[in-house]
Amino acid sequence: MRSPVALAALAALALASAAGAAEPAPAPRATRDLQFTVRAVTVVVPDSAKEPPATRVFTDAELTAFLTAAQNDPRANAVQYPRITVRGTQRAEVSVLDKQTFVTGIDAVNVKGQAVFVPRNTEIELGVRCELWGRVSADANSVQLNFAHTEARLVGDVPLVPVTVPIQPVAENGKKGKPIPLTQYVQLPTIETLRVSRSELVVRSGAHAVLAGPTFERETRTEFGPPVVSQIPYLNRLFKNVGYSRETVRTFLVVSPLVGGESAP
């Protein structure tokens, strides 16, 4: 026969198990979709221009005026990346890359006891890589934005440097001949990398964050000639002049987050 204390303990354990079984499991929390629109606008910077703010937030009207001014300038360039929709805090990445191969050196390889010189090919990625993610606020009115934009571009022409190495020919009977100089041209590309990043930037849903990137110089080509003759095909080649100059440009990145509806996890 069990004691009253043991019976009371068993009764308390049974009540706790029943209460735990009766409580429903918490429903999974729904997440909201987050849509990003990214634009890159490159404009010419005048010599007297002041340094712009690192970050500004535009309304729809201000963004329209900014893009219109850029489109009216033939020296400006505006690009819109594909629109991205992510779920919750997922990371999104957009890459527009062009892989180019350059001969950057010469390697000596041992082939059957003989030194063989092989050109070294190096593959370099040029273009734009954009990574972004965000966190929607509790009231779904704003987004905590994280953004990283990297652009790698080739600067100027790629110089060719001659490298001469001696090679010793070997006849079929194994007899070695006199060394012969071999000239291989090596490429020395100059790659400039521009990076713009922001962390935990709070932007209202539907607004537009404008991020100022660094400045860089580019070479421009201008053709000019007499007003009438320069418009005549073939004949204008006799009177056309070409001028080259360098100008300073800056890339502004426009990131527009938009909070969508809820989606099940």
Side-chain angles (χ1 to χ4, degrees):
M1 184 175 180
R2 296 182 180 178
S3 63
V5 177
L7 292 175
L10 290 174
L13 182 61
L15 289 174
S17 301
E23 291 181 359
R29 185 178 179 181
T31 58
R32 287 186 176 271
D33 293 336
L34 187 57
Q35 186 180 91
F36 294 105
T37 302
V38 182
R39 302 175 179 89
V41 183
T42 303
V43 298
V44 177
V45 180
D47 297 335
S48 59
K50 298 181 180 180
E51 188 72 16
T55 306
R56 291 190 60 184
V57 178
F58 280 2
T59 62
D60 291 342
E62 291 173 330
L63 179 63
T64 301
F66 176 66
L67 296 178
T68 301
Q71 291 174 356
N72 292 335
D73 187 353
R75 301 171 300 174
N77 183 33
V79 178
Q80 178 171 323
Y81 301 152
R83 189 170 297 172
I84 307 171
T85 301
V86 297
R87 182 177 161 190
T89 58
Q90 287 181 335
R91 290 174 177 255
E93 181 177 326
V94 178
S95 300
V96 184
L97 301 174
D98 178 25
K99 295 183 179 180
Q100 295 189 19
T101 303
F102 301 92
V103 181
T104 58
I106 301 176
D107 296 326
V109 181
N110 188 352
V111 179
K112 297 182 179 180
Q114 191 73 16
V116 178
F117 296 96
V118 180
R120 184 192 313 133
N121 295 323
T122 303
E123 189 178 71
I124 299 177
E125 288 186 347
L126 302 175
V128 174
R129 187 186 301 275
C130 177
E131 185 179 7
L132 66 167
W133 67 100
R135 183 183 300 275
V136 181
S137 62
D139 57 2
N141 289 329
S142 62
V143 177
Q144 190 181 64
L145 177 65
N146 298 275
F147 180 83
H149 181 275
T150 305
E151 179 182 359
R153 62 187 191 91
L154 188 65
V155 179
D157 298 329
V158 180
L160 296 177
V161 179
V163 178
T164 302
V165 293
I167 60 173
Q168 193 172 33
V170 180
E172 294 182 358
N173 57 4
K175 184 178 180 180
K176 298 182 179 180
K178 294 183 179 180
I180 301 175
L182 172 66
T183 301
Q184 171 70 51
Y185 286 92
V186 175
Q187 298 173 296
L188 299 177
T190 301
I191 308 300
E192 184 178 36
T193 302
L194 304 177
R195 181 176 175 83
V196 180
S197 62
R198 299 290 188 275
S199 299
E200 299 181 355
L201 177 64
V202 178
V203 183
R204 182 176 53 82
S205 175
H208 313 280
V210 182
L211 316 178
T215 60
F216 61 93
E217 289 189 348
R218 69 181 180 187
E219 186 178 67
T220 60
R221 182 178 183 272
T222 306
E223 297 181 359
F224 54 92
V228 178
V229 182
S230 60
Q231 304 298 325
I232 302 176
Y234 301 106
L235 184 62
N236 58 1
R237 300 178 183 177
L238 301 175
F239 303 93
K240 181 172 58 179
N241 294 321
V242 180
Y244 294 90
S245 62
R246 301 189 69 83
E247 60 186 10
T248 302
V249 297
R250 184 190 298 274
T251 298
F252 291 90
L253 299 169
V254 183
V255 185
S256 307
L258 181 64
V259 178
E262 292 184 350
S263 59

